[in-house]
Amino acid sequence: PIDDAFSLFEIPGYMQRRDIIAGSMEDYLQDIPFCHKALQRGSGEPKTVGYVKYMYKVRRLQERGSNGGTGDEDPSDDSEGNFYIPGGRLNPFSSVMIESLRMPEQVGVRLYILQGVNLMPKDTNGLCDPYLLIEHGGKTFGSRDEYISKTIQPSFYKMFEFKAYVPGRTDITFTIMDWDKYTSDVLVGKASIDLEDRWYSSAWQKMMAEASQVMAVGE
């Protein structure tokens, strides 16, 4: 996804005939099936100490019958029910998704990092010397030796490839550091995505299917 910052530049060649998304992919998909809540500790200004990801199911209780039923859910009722996702949206593929959650699947992840736009300067010259670190599943990819000198508009053009399990440890963290020769390197910024949020999104699956069709036609 590309945000409004790219309006300052000519659209690069790799984005020709591609959709340009304003904001994050997660905002664009709008059918992410999981809720995310911060875990906090302390009073006053609580500190975030982690996050929990969950789903919840809402089912109509059995109506109280003339036989004096309690209104509890009928344990013999094997109907699918509905899974709701943030904002009250209904996930139409809940039965498929819930079944897949029971069976972890190994997937291949190919990650392309193209450019950094308007990075925060970290050096006295108003620039920085950025390099990439990618973290997933306890492994780190990238190297400080691959820093790009004196820029806040770096062209990385890097590809990282690894395997992951869904469901499982599917968070990917992107970190940009500022290389320094004589002092410790400084954090420029970081972000993360959750592969499960995309893998279990029907909109994402549709996009991938359409992309595969376009690639097949191109071949």
Side-chain angles (χ1 to χ4, degrees):
I2 295 182
D3 60 24
D4 293 337
F6 267 103
S7 64
L8 300 174
F9 306 93
E10 180 183 356
I11 296 177
Y14 59 78
M15 285 304 301
Q16 299 297 327
R17 294 183 295 176
R18 295 176 182 265
D19 292 333
I20 296 179
I21 299 171
S24 70
M25 178 63 73
E26 286 71 18
D27 292 337
Y28 176 78
L29 294 175
Q30 294 188 346
D31 72 338
I32 294 173
F34 303 104
C35 299
H36 297 257
K37 292 292 183 182
L39 299 176
Q40 297 183 324
R41 182 176 60 189
S43 58
E45 296 183 4
K47 179 182 179 181
T48 298
V49 295
Y51 295 86
V52 61
K53 179 170 63 176
Y54 65 95
M55 298 173 62
Y56 62 93
K57 186 173 185 178
V58 180
R59 298 186 67 175
R60 187 181 302 280
L61 296 179
Q62 189 178 34
E63 294 184 2
R64 185 182 299 275
S66 58
N67 60 356
T70 63
D72 293 337
E73 183 178 342
D74 184 353
S76 65
D77 180 8
D78 195 30
S79 61
E80 179 183 329
N82 293 321
F83 278 83
Y84 289 88
I85 56 182
R89 300 182 297 275
L90 175 64
N91 180 359
F93 298 104
S94 59
S95 60
V96 175
M97 183 177 64
I98 297 306
E99 183 62 28
S100 67
L101 285 172
R102 300 189 180 103
M103 302 176 62
E105 176 182 2
Q106 189 177 52
V107 299
V109 179
R110 185 174 291 168
L111 185 65
Y112 297 91
I113 309 295
L114 304 179
Q115 293 178 306
V117 180
N118 297 340
L119 300 185
M120 179 69 71
K122 291 296 179 179
D123 296 334
T124 56
N125 59 7
L127 301 171
C128 60
D129 306 300
Y131 64 91
L132 279 169
L133 295 176
I134 309 297
E135 299 173 73
H136 170 73
K139 296 181 179 180
T140 301
F141 307 91
S143 170
R144 73 184 299 271
D145 294 334
E146 298 176 341
Y147 72 92
I148 301 175
S149 180
K150 300 178 181 179
T151 180
I152 58 172
Q153 316 287 355
S155 295
F156 292 113
Y157 295 102
K158 297 287 186 181
M159 189 274 284
F160 302 91
E161 193 167 17
F162 48 88
K163 295 179 180 179
Y165 282 91
V166 288
R169 296 183 60 182
T170 55
D171 55 306
I172 301 176
T173 301
F174 309 78
T175 302
I176 296 181
M177 300 292 294
D178 173 49
W179 179 92
D180 282 309
K181 183 175 182 179
Y182 299 109
T183 60
S184 298
D185 295 351
V186 178
L187 174 68
V188 177
K190 64 170 37 182
S192 64
I193 62 172
D194 190 324
L195 292 179
E196 286 179 345
D197 283 343
R198 301 188 180 192
W199 185 257
Y200 292 111
S201 160
S202 58
W204 173 262
Q205 293 288 353
K206 181 180 178 181
M207 289 172 60
M208 294 301 98
E210 292 174 349
S212 297
Q213 292 175 359
V214 171
M215 292 176 64
V217 171
E219 293 173 355

